[in-house]
Amino acid sequence: MVDSMTNMLGNPTSAIKIVCQNMDEHGNTDIMARIIDAGFLDRGDPYIINMLNVFRVSKLRDIKEKARIHVPKGAFLLGMLDETDSLEEGEIYVRISDTTTSNSSSSRRKPPIVGPCVIFRNPCFHPGDVRTVMAVDYPKLRHLYDVVVFSAKGFRDLPSMLSGGDLDGDDYTVIWDEALLPTKSNYAPLSYKGATPLEVDQVKISDIIKFFVNYINNDNLGQIANSHLAISDKSSQGAKDGRCVRLAQLHSAAVDFAKTGQPVKFENDLRTNTFPDFMQKLDKESYESDKVLGRMYRSINANDYEKYREILLDTTTYDHRLWLDGMAEYIVFARDQQACYNRDLLALMNQYGIYTETELVSGYVMEWKKKTSARKSMFEQTKQVIKAVKSLQEKYRKEFLRTVDTSTTTTTAKTIIIGKDGRRKQEGPVKLESSKHELELKAAGYYYVTYHPQERARLKSDEAGLFSFPWIVYDYICAIAVRNTERRFEQKMLDPISEHIIDMHRTDLDPGLQVSLAQEESEEEFDDDDDDDDEDDDYDDDDDEEDDDENENELNKNEDNNEDIPVLTFKISDLKKKADQPQQDQPQPVPDFNVPPGTYVNIGANASEEELKQKLLPL
């Protein structure tokens, strides 16, 4: 397993298999598998390489310090009762999904497990807590998967034999690997019937104080567990040693102390002063364990993960597969979004005391600068970090999709029609549609501003190692890359985009007011709401209809000629500043808005009627 972890950086197939075997509840490993499958690991992408490096060192640390190993023929499942009454005593039903593929369809479900299995529940101290059972297949249960189903028959239910478990949400480990099955028959299970709780006629504050002090003085659950592990490692009988059996009973009673109020007496003969090296009791006498836990502990060098930050990459190579003709239109938007995203990401790193972006995004935090809450464990704190990162990424993904939908998005803007006489004739909404192709152009822009060398030079020093911005839309990035894998390479795909071209597509100059001369074919009639009292406006209805027909004909004629339409853009803030300035003796120059008659003029959605009259139509 250690060798496969080390070699996966140079073997995409092995990397996909390993990460899929270690699926997490937040979907990070599934995203990693899709990125690798799209060919980014082969091309040395720093984001996926860093993610795999942190994933690797995290797993190596778990093996060394927590003895966590992956068992391919095993599963960690929620327990439930057989409501069909199909299972007999000593039988279980297990059917799991195939986690070795990133495919999310129902075809991932494997056939039900059939044959002998070993099942247990943590914490597991007594030899009888590990049971050998028979996994069977029943058609009535085939709709259930990723759970372990227990029989409702028998003198004593199986979950209660497994460390006193039940079916109110407990999880169980099931292993069907023949090499890991016990060779001896099941040990007699321990009776987990708790002691009788203390009873009083009336609970007083003195009773509460006494219980609290008693609980603090007798909180020796951790000491019992440590003694059990140390004695079982040193004894040739392992967990079947008499002292270990007694410690297992004490541990069960200590767990129920909060409910029963009955403390346990941790006797001196059950204590130990020497501990195996894998327990890392630096202030105690230690010895090298010759059992499996000791061998696993010494097989991994701590330097493999303690200096993990030295192997993380901070340089990029632009993947020309992500070059798309037309993406320059979205470079300015991508730059703005990247700056905001990086700022928020650095704020989260500072808030939670995390050193690198890779640890923050992946959830595999190797080292903390600080512990943000004394009440939360590292596991709970890590879950909080992942939740915060997912919320941040979802926010920017929504911003990515805000103006464009995956199929077609319709937005509206104020539109007026200028008649031949230069006066406003009609007003109403015009629909502007955009397609999925624009989403891909925007995604390509996200990738460009993050990976292109010229764009990297624009970043601040604390942003040099940040690569996660474009991967908030990883599905679009991967789809573009896969589609363009066989595309013929051209030098322009690696050349930087000219700033002059980028500036031509700037939209930040027009947050609230934009004037465009455009030719639009309207599919609906706008109501005539022109109530001007101009004394010269004495057209009758027939003349209005005739003018409208001429306007429509002229628009259709222009469309056939495919003429370029000029666009006039200016800052509304500049107009407001000019309006607020005191009037000078000399008249202020007014923009010339004389436009060809019979054309549409698109006005920004925030333009008021008064601004329309005062600023846009000084005719």
Side-chain angles (χ1 to χ4, degrees):
M1 180 178 180
V2 176
D3 293 338
S4 61
M5 286 265 183
T6 303
N7 298 330
M8 69 178 180
L9 293 176
N11 189 338
T13 303
S14 176
I16 293 176
K17 182 178 180 180
I18 292 175
V19 297
C20 287
Q21 288 175 343
N22 294 270
M23 286 289 183
D24 64 321
E25 60 182 303
H26 308 286
N28 289 328
T29 50
D30 182 63
I31 295 175
M32 292 167 59
R34 294 187 61 179
I35 295 175
I36 297 170
D37 192 44
F40 287 97
L41 180 59
D42 283 330
R43 287 166 171 77
D45 184 274
Y47 175 77
I48 189 60
I49 290 178
N50 289 345
M51 292 282 282
L52 286 176
N53 271 321
V54 172
F55 169 83
R56 171 183 168 272
V57 297
S58 175
K59 296 303 178 183
L60 292 179
R61 183 185 64 176
D62 287 346
I63 294 174
K64 184 176 182 65
E65 298 182 359
K66 301 180 181 179
R68 290 182 179 175
I69 60 175
H70 174 68
V71 180
K73 296 182 179 181
F76 184 64
L77 305 170
L78 176 72
M80 63 173 296
L81 181 67
D82 173 23
E83 298 180 349
T84 65
D85 206 30
S86 300
L87 297 173
E88 298 296 331
E89 182 178 4
E91 293 181 343
I92 62 171
Y93 176 85
V94 176
R95 186 184 184 188
I96 63 172
S97 300
D98 184 4
T99 60
T100 60
T101 174
S102 59
N103 182 18
S104 59
S105 65
S106 59
S107 61
R108 292 175 56 187
R109 301 175 189 174
K110 293 183 176 181
I113 305 301
V114 176
C117 300
V118 59
I119 185 170
F120 60 90
R121 169 184 172 271
N122 286 321
C124 185
F125 290 93
H126 192 267
D129 292 339
V130 180
R131 315 296 296 177
T132 301
V133 295
M134 183 61 66
V136 296
D137 177 21
Y138 282 105
K140 292 183 179 180
L141 300 175
R142 287 180 182 171
H143 63 286
L144 300 172
Y145 61 98
D146 292 337
V147 294
V148 52
V149 184
F150 292 96
S151 172
K153 302 175 182 179
F155 176 75
R156 179 179 176 182
D157 61 287
L158 180 59
S160 69
M161 303 180 192
L162 307 175
S163 304
D166 50 37
L167 299 180
D168 62 353
D170 290 356
D171 295 312
Y172 300 85
T173 300
V174 183
I175 299 175
W176 54 93
D177 191 333
E178 295 181 358
L180 299 178
L181 295 179
T183 56
K184 297 182 180 180
S185 59
N186 289 330
Y187 198 88
L190 179 66
S191 176
Y192 287 95
K193 184 178 180 181
T196 304
L198 297 175
E199 296 182 0
V200 294
D201 295 334
Q202 183 179 1
V203 178
K204 300 179 182 179
I205 189 65
S206 59
D207 297 320
I208 299 176
I209 296 174
K210 182 179 179 180
F211 172 81
F212 180 77
V213 174
N214 196 24
Y215 178 79
I216 296 298
N217 291 333
N218 293 276
D219 185 18
N220 47 20
L221 191 64
Q223 299 176 18
I224 295 174
N226 287 337
S227 292
H228 182 279
L229 181 58
I231 294 174
S232 63
D233 179 80
K234 201 168 188 179
S235 173
S236 60
Q237 293 181 303
K240 295 181 180 180
D241 187 282
R243 290 182 298 170
C244 291
V245 174
R246 177 57 183 154
L247 285 169
Q249 296 172 341
L250 290 181
H251 189 275
S252 176
V255 170
D256 293 334
F257 172 63
K259 296 183 290 184
T260 64
Q262 298 282 5
V264 298
K265 187 176 181 180
F266 190 20
E267 301 172 352
N268 290 332
D269 64 328
L270 297 178
R271 300 175 184 267
T272 182
N273 296 322
T274 59
F275 297 87
D277 54 351
F278 63 82
M279 293 186 68
Q280 304 182 69
K281 298 289 185 180
L282 303 180
D283 58 335
K284 304 291 184 180
E285 183 181 350
S286 179
Y287 66 92
E288 285 192 3
S289 171
D290 59 353
K291 294 189 176 179
V292 62
L293 293 180
R295 295 198 299 269
M296 288 172 56
Y297 173 77
R298 292 187 297 274
S299 66
I300 297 175
N301 190 346
N303 291 330
D304 290 342
Y305 57 85
E306 289 180 348
K307 299 180 180 180
Y308 68 96
R309 289 199 295 272
E310 298 179 2
I311 62 176
L312 298 183
L313 304 179
D314 59 0
T315 57
T316 64
T317 300
Y318 181 72
D319 191 342
H320 63 84
R321 296 181 301 167
L322 272 297
W323 183 91
L324 294 180
D325 189 17
M327 67 180 182
E329 180 180 353
Y330 299 98
I331 297 300
V332 174
F333 176 80
R335 287 175 177 174
D336 294 340
Q337 290 294 296
Q338 181 194 37
C340 296
Y341 175 83
N342 288 347
R343 178 197 62 205
D344 293 344
L345 199 71
L346 291 171
L348 285 181
M349 292 171 60
N350 181 66
Q351 176 183 349
Y352 291 105
I354 298 177
Y355 285 98
T356 65
E357 175 202 39
T358 307
E359 294 172 88
L360 181 72
V361 174
S362 67
Y364 300 112
V365 183
M366 296 297 299
E367 187 178 0
W368 302 81
K369 294 181 182 178
K370 59 184 178 180
K371 195 172 186 295
T372 58
S373 175
R375 295 183 178 181
K376 292 183 178 180
S377 64
M378 288 303 178
F379 175 76
E380 293 173 329
Q381 187 166 314
T382 301
K383 289 190 65 175
Q384 183 178 355
V385 168
I386 296 176
K387 182 178 180 181
V389 173
K390 291 298 182 183
S391 177
L392 174 66
Q393 293 178 335
E394 183 64 23
K395 168 189 172 183
Y396 282 93
R397 184 177 176 89
K398 287 182 178 179
E399 187 65 23
F400 172 83
L401 300 170
R402 185 176 63 87
T403 55
V404 190
D405 195 9
T406 55
S407 55
T408 299
T409 299
T410 302
T411 57
T412 58
K414 289 183 179 179
T415 304
I416 61 175
I417 300 177
I418 305 299
K420 289 183 178 180
D421 59 349
R423 301 182 186 279
R424 186 186 66 179
K425 298 298 294 180
Q426 292 179 342
E427 181 175 352
V430 64
K431 295 184 178 181
L432 307 176
E433 294 186 347
S434 51
S435 65
K436 183 179 179 180
H437 177 63
E438 295 183 3
L439 277 175
E440 294 188 341
L441 292 177
K442 189 183 293 186
Y446 277 31
Y447 184 86
Y448 176 86
V449 301
T450 305
Y451 279 82
H452 199 280
Q454 179 164 304
E455 295 293 321
R456 299 292 299 174
R458 300 176 53 257
L459 299 178
K460 300 178 182 178
S461 59
D462 57 351
E463 297 178 305
L466 303 184
F467 303 106
S468 64
F469 170 63
W471 300 108
I472 59 178
V473 291
Y474 71 93
D475 45 346
Y476 290 93
I477 298 292
C478 292
I480 297 171
V482 171
R483 187 175 66 244
N484 294 334
T485 298
E486 303 299 330
R487 184 178 61 179
R488 182 180 179 182
F489 169 73
E490 299 180 21
Q491 182 58 40
K492 66 178 182 179
M493 298 177 181
L494 296 180
D495 294 337
I497 301 176
S498 170
E499 290 295 326
H500 173 70
I501 297 177
I502 295 174
D503 288 340
M504 291 176 59
H505 299 286
R506 295 187 68 88
T507 58
D508 57 331
L509 296 177
D510 185 20
L513 182 63
Q514 182 176 11
V515 182
S516 311
L517 302 182
Q519 298 171 351
E520 300 285 349
E521 182 177 358
S522 177
E523 296 181 359
E524 60 185 61
E525 295 294 336
F526 301 122
D527 294 334
D528 188 358
D529 56 352
D530 186 5
D531 297 330
D532 291 340
D533 296 328
D534 196 310
E535 61 183 11
D536 295 332
D537 188 6
D538 56 355
Y539 296 111
D540 57 18
D541 294 340
D542 293 337
D543 293 337
D544 287 340
E545 293 180 0
E546 181 179 354
D547 290 341
D548 292 342
D549 292 339
E550 293 179 0
N551 291 340
E552 184 175 356
N553 292 334
E554 185 172 348
L555 289 175
N556 293 334
K557 180 179 179 181
N558 289 336
E559 286 183 357
D560 295 337
N561 294 332
N562 294 324
E563 295 179 358
D564 294 335
I565 305 302
V567 177
L568 176 61
T569 305
F570 57 92
K571 288 185 178 179
I572 189 172
S573 57
D574 293 341
L575 293 178
K576 292 182 178 179
K577 289 180 181 178
K578 291 181 180 180
D580 295 338
Q581 292 177 355
Q583 297 293 331
Q584 304 293 333
D585 295 338
Q586 282 185 327
Q588 296 294 324
V590 178
D592 183 11
F593 289 97
N594 292 321
V595 297
T599 62
Y600 287 88
V601 179
N602 294 340
I603 308 300
N606 295 330
S608 66
E609 183 72 18
E610 189 63 27
E611 289 173 335
L612 183 66
K613 292 179 180 180
Q614 294 182 2
K615 302 297 182 181
L616 303 183
L617 296 176
L619 302 175

